[in-house]
Amino acid sequence: MPSLDPSRDVVALTADLVDIASESFDEQAIADAVEAVLRAAPHLDVVRDGHTLVARTDLGRAERVVVAGHLDTVPVNGNFPSRLEDGVLWGLGSCDMKGGVAVALRLAAHLSEPSRDVTYVFYEAEEVAAVHNGLGRLARERPELLAGDFAILMEPSDGGIEAGCQGTMRFDVVTRGERSHSARSWMGSNAIHAAHQVLARLNAYEPRRVDIDGLEYREGLNAVLVNGGVAGNVIPDECRVTVNYRFAPDRDEAAALAHVREVFDGFELEVTDSSPGALPGLSRPAVQDFVAAVGGEVKPKFGWTDVSQFTRLGVPAVNYGPGDPLFAHKADEHVPVEQLRQVEERMNRWLGA
Amino acid sequence: MPSLDPSRDVVALTADLVDIASESFDEQAIADAVEAVLRAAPHLDVVRDGHTLVARTDLGRAERVVVAGHLDTVPVNGNFPSRLEDGVLWGLGSCDMKGGVAVALRLAAHLSEPSRDVTYVFYEAEEVAAVHNGLGRLARERPELLAGDFAILMEPSDGGIEAGCQGTMRFDVVTRGERSHSARSWMGSNAIHAAHQVLARLNAYEPRRVDIDGLEYREGLNAVLVNGGVAGNVIPDECRVTVNYRFAPDRDEAAALAHVREVFDGFELEVTDSSPGALPGLSRPAVQDFVAAVGGEVKPKFGWTDVSQFTRLGVPAVNYGPGDPLFAHKADEHVPVEQLRQVEERMNRWLGA
């Protein structure tokens, strides 16, 4: 069974976390290792729920901060295990988001007297359909565990603060036909051929760019999966194009759905997954305080993150973590060592007593 | 273990064959049952090769006839087990081609003194890529087992004689892109979107119709499978459209390949499966003799059948069997009882001593 040692520096600890494979739905080993670290810290109350962990200080401070990160990764893509080279740590999850998890885990283990009470959340299944998301489950079933005045989601933000997040929706565009032997194709009707207009509309689509609070959000509408066919000699009777729509936070889920229904007018749509965005909330005092303490420019968050879970609970939240999010989910995913250290140092400065 | 009783009439025996599930690559049970029937007939020499069976009389007749049928079916489609209703037998394989197998199996079991020596072949894996085909394996490795003056492939031909067959070729049209997180899709390149032109060309394609020896052949070019994508939040880096080209027998495999390369000009092609057609051969004396004995109109065969295997071995061959081939591989596959009896009666008349 793999174990973790929070006395190792943040770079080594990030590498150790990367080297525990944790593709979504396979988080048992990493959750066990993180739990052992948390349970060894006498200043933390620890709760486990599935492969999701919540660890809290209870020092009666005036303010409570939530620091959260997910433990899972997308599937491996020739980038496992980790590799440290010339000040850069490479590997699956190094950027998204085991660097942030390493920072949070070291804060949790060592910061016995933080300036604010802290709730650390390490959770499962962020990289798959929202219904599986460990933080979402807590928000629905045990929201008291997530209570706080401000939340920091340690998703990669290139070491700067990213505000808000875009919404995300997944749906299948389904075309149907009729099976027949492919030697007598005129007796059937080809569902894959019928999907040509679906792909053509996707290919021609021009995504929106929207300005909110001075931040520019960029949308995207993309086929992520396509599946159709029965056998090599049968005219297919069904084809499914799974589309992911990333929408700016000025659109709610209903408006996003209305938009994609318009784009795919005439086609059958089955929505499988939907999560709202979050407005940047730059005017809120808690956000302004954190921005002032940590410093740097505030940018828009393109990716959906669990910031929106906190928004729904009424807790202001931002993304702040090491790693350039442009490399998340890519074969050449990596995180600069310098950024790991900088984020840790600033979080320590802000939360240190 | 299921068993078969060749003393049951041809309708009951067809139903019994349908009720032994035998999707391609799962032919053990049906081959065992057929083998037991063949081994019980003292006038037959039986050879088993994988799940393929060859049973021969050796009476020193002037002529040897090969009677062949495949044991496998396409995947089930809500049409298992068999159902007899108002003179029609319904069910997976009833048409393609367990009716023909039942006729051949009854001939093999009962015709101890045929007018010509007969080689019965019951073989595996016809409904999948040519490389797995049991008859093809015999043709390559043990061609002496298939020697003869004439071959009858008991594929469904609506009780008439079908001459020649179309060739078939399968290939993947591959589009490639670059993975990225779907929240930042502009960092990647979408391989599924890139396939829109592939589907558009297929959808617009006008298949040829060709006249050969007075018979009209109809071609077809169809996507049979499509697959692409990595995960619900990753821009896909590969998409594969598997296309099946059915070509008239005036085109050989090289000409067929040249044609599809032209249709998909600019795209990457990977050929996975290719089998030539067979010209109708209506001028050959052996074919003319059979036509005269059995009677009825001769039609072109649209589907690829193993007729082309015999053509390559220099053995004239036709398709002749019960069942309308238009219903092969369809959910409502069926065979008329009357046609089962008629084909059996005519084969008996032709081969009876």
Side-chain angles (χ1 to χ4, degrees):
Chain A
M1 212 189 87
S3 69
L4 295 166
D5 176 0
S7 72
R8 279 160 68 77
D9 79 21
V10 68
V11 180
L13 187 63
T14 302
D16 292 345
L17 283 159
V18 168
D19 294 344
I20 303 177
S22 62
E23 186 177 333
S24 307
F25 304 129
D26 194 17
E27 298 101 335
Q28 167 107 41
I30 199 167
D32 288 351
V34 168
E35 181 178 9
V37 170
L38 298 173
R39 297 233 182 248
H43 57 281
L44 296 176
D45 282 335
V46 181
V47 173
R48 179 160 179 163
D49 183 305
H51 298 321
T52 292
L53 293 151
V54 180
R56 287 174 300 174
T57 65
D58 194 4
L59 304 165
R61 301 286 195 248
E63 220 179 30
R64 174 171 292 278
V65 175
V66 184
V67 175
H70 64 83
L71 298 172
D72 62 319
T73 69
V74 294
V76 70
N77 186 12
N79 51 5
F80 184 91
S82 65
R83 181 170 53 88
L84 182 64
E85 207 176 283
D86 297 334
V88 175
L89 181 70
W90 301 81
L92 176 64
S94 57
C95 170
D96 184 13
M97 59 168 287
K98 292 182 174 178
V101 167
V103 170
L105 193 57
R106 276 176 47 83
L107 291 171
H110 301 304
L111 215 57
S112 56
E113 297 278 339
S115 61
R116 295 145 172 96
D117 271 312
V118 187
T119 301
Y120 300 96
V121 185
F122 301 95
Y123 61 101
E124 68 203 291
E126 193 267 353
E127 299 289 8
V128 287
V131 66
H132 304 292
N133 185 302
L135 189 67
R137 190 175 65 240
L138 290 186
R140 284 192 307 276
E141 297 174 8
R142 308 177 77 173
E144 71 282 1
L145 290 176
L146 302 179
D149 301 287
F150 180 45
I152 297 166
L153 201 58
M154 301 205 68
E155 286 276 356
S157 65
D158 211 15
I161 297 170
E162 291 188 332
C165 80
Q166 298 203 125
T168 178
M169 178 175 287
R170 275 179 206 89
F171 53 92
D172 287 356
V173 187
V174 188
T175 52
R176 302 192 189 275
E178 195 192 349
R179 291 190 198 183
S180 72
H181 195 299
S182 63
R184 289 168 294 277
S185 47
W186 56 92
M187 292 293 291
S189 161
N190 195 313
I192 297 176
H193 295 194
H196 82 279
Q197 262 296 330
V198 177
L199 299 194
R201 290 187 199 177
L202 283 165
N203 194 62
Y205 185 82
E206 296 279 356
R208 278 199 316 154
R209 296 182 181 212
V210 189
D211 188 290
I212 305 172
D213 284 2
L215 305 176
E216 187 191 53
Y217 289 89
R218 287 181 77 165
E219 297 197 336
L221 184 73
N222 276 274
V224 285
L225 298 166
V226 60
N227 272 294
V230 180
N233 53 3
V234 180
I235 299 302
D237 58 353
E238 185 179 291
C239 181
R240 281 177 183 265
V241 182
T242 303
V243 178
N244 185 204
Y245 179 38
R246 301 285 178 149
F247 51 98
D250 64 332
R251 262 184 188 162
D252 63 14
E253 289 171 281
L257 182 58
H259 176 65
V260 298
R261 284 203 189 283
E262 191 178 329
V263 172
F264 295 104
D265 186 38
F267 288 97
E268 181 183 339
L269 248 66
E270 291 179 10
V271 176
T272 53
D273 184 28
S274 175
S275 302
L279 287 161
L282 292 181
S283 57
R284 297 189 183 201
V287 181
Q288 291 181 336
D289 284 357
F290 178 73
V291 169
V294 168
E297 188 200 358
V298 180
K299 293 181 184 166
K301 182 70 182 174
F302 295 126
W304 184 87
T305 78
D306 282 318
V307 160
S308 77
Q309 309 270 19
F310 290 106
T311 304
R312 271 197 282 197
L313 294 174
V315 181
V318 298
N319 299 290
Y320 175 62
D324 182 340
L326 295 176
F327 292 99
H329 301 199
K330 300 196 76 169
D332 58 351
E333 182 175 351
H334 63 271
V335 63
V337 161
E338 188 188 10
Q339 219 171 65
L340 286 170
R341 297 199 204 286
Q342 185 198 68
V343 168
E344 179 177 53
E345 189 263 320
R346 291 183 179 178
M347 287 293 286
N348 253 315
R349 192 202 306 155
W350 184 58
L351 287 176
Chain B
M1 211 190 86
S3 70
L4 294 166
D5 176 0
S7 72
R8 279 160 68 76
D9 79 23
V10 68
V11 180
L13 188 62
T14 302
D16 291 345
L17 283 159
V18 168
D19 294 343
I20 303 176
S22 62
E23 185 176 336
S24 308
F25 303 129
D26 194 19
E27 297 101 334
Q28 168 107 41
I30 198 167
D32 288 351
V34 168
E35 181 178 9
V37 170
L38 299 173
R39 297 238 182 244
H43 56 280
L44 296 175
D45 282 338
V46 180
V47 173
R48 179 161 178 162
D49 184 304
H51 299 320
T52 293
L53 293 150
V54 180
R56 287 174 299 174
T57 66
D58 195 6
L59 304 165
R61 302 286 195 249
E63 219 179 32
R64 174 172 292 277
V65 175
V66 184
V67 176
H70 63 83
L71 298 172
D72 62 320
T73 70
V74 293
V76 70
N77 186 13
N79 51 5
F80 184 89
S82 65
R83 181 169 52 87
L84 183 63
E85 208 175 284
D86 296 333
V88 175
L89 182 71
W90 302 81
L92 177 65
S94 57
C95 170
D96 185 11
M97 61 169 282
K98 292 182 174 178
V101 167
V103 169
L105 193 57
R106 277 176 47 84
L107 291 171
H110 300 303
L111 216 58
S112 57
E113 296 278 340
S115 60
R116 296 148 171 94
D117 270 312
V118 187
T119 301
Y120 301 95
V121 185
F122 301 95
Y123 61 101
E124 69 204 288
E126 192 267 354
E127 299 289 7
V128 287
V131 66
H132 305 291
N133 184 302
L135 189 67
R137 189 175 68 240
L138 290 185
R140 285 192 307 277
E141 297 174 7
R142 307 177 77 172
E144 70 283 2
L145 290 177
L146 301 180
D149 300 287
F150 181 45
I152 298 166
L153 201 58
M154 301 206 68
E155 286 275 357
S157 66
D158 212 15
I161 297 169
E162 291 187 333
C165 79
Q166 298 203 126
T168 178
M169 178 175 287
R170 274 180 206 87
F171 53 92
D172 288 356
V173 187
V174 187
T175 52
R176 300 191 191 275
E178 195 194 346
R179 290 191 200 183
S180 73
H181 194 301
S182 62
R184 290 167 293 277
S185 47
W186 56 92
M187 292 295 289
S189 160
N190 196 312
I192 297 177
H193 295 193
H196 81 279
Q197 261 297 329
V198 178
L199 299 195
R201 290 186 200 178
L202 283 166
N203 193 62
Y205 186 82
E206 295 279 354
R208 279 201 314 157
R209 297 184 180 210
V210 189
D211 188 288
I212 304 171
D213 284 2
L215 304 177
E216 187 190 55
Y217 288 89
R218 287 181 77 164
E219 297 197 336
L221 185 72
N222 276 274
V224 285
L225 297 166
V226 60
N227 273 292
V230 179
N233 53 3
V234 180
I235 299 301
D237 57 354
E238 186 178 291
C239 181
R240 282 178 184 265
V241 182
T242 303
V243 178
N244 184 204
Y245 178 38
R246 300 285 178 151
F247 51 97
D250 64 331
R251 262 183 188 163
D252 63 14
E253 290 171 282
L257 182 57
H259 176 65
V260 299
R261 282 202 189 284
E262 192 178 326
V263 171
F264 295 103
D265 187 37
F267 288 96
E268 182 183 339
L269 248 65
E270 291 179 10
V271 176
T272 54
D273 184 28
S274 175
S275 300
L279 286 162
L282 291 181
S283 57
R284 296 187 183 201
V287 181
Q288 292 180 336
D289 285 357
F290 178 72
V291 170
V294 168
E297 189 199 0
V298 180
K299 294 180 183 168
K301 181 72 183 173
F302 295 125
W304 184 87
T305 77
D306 281 318
V307 161
S308 78
Q309 309 270 19
F310 290 105
T311 304
R312 271 196 284 197
L313 294 173
V315 181
V318 297
N319 299 289
Y320 175 61
D324 182 342
L326 295 176
F327 291 98
H329 301 199
K330 300 196 77 171
D332 58 351
E333 183 174 351
H334 63 270
V335 64
V337 160
E338 187 188 13
Q339 219 170 67
L340 286 171
R341 296 198 205 284
Q342 185 197 68
V343 169
E344 180 177 52
E345 188 265 320
R346 290 182 180 178
M347 287 294 284
N348 253 316
R349 191 200 309 156
W350 185 55
L351 287 176

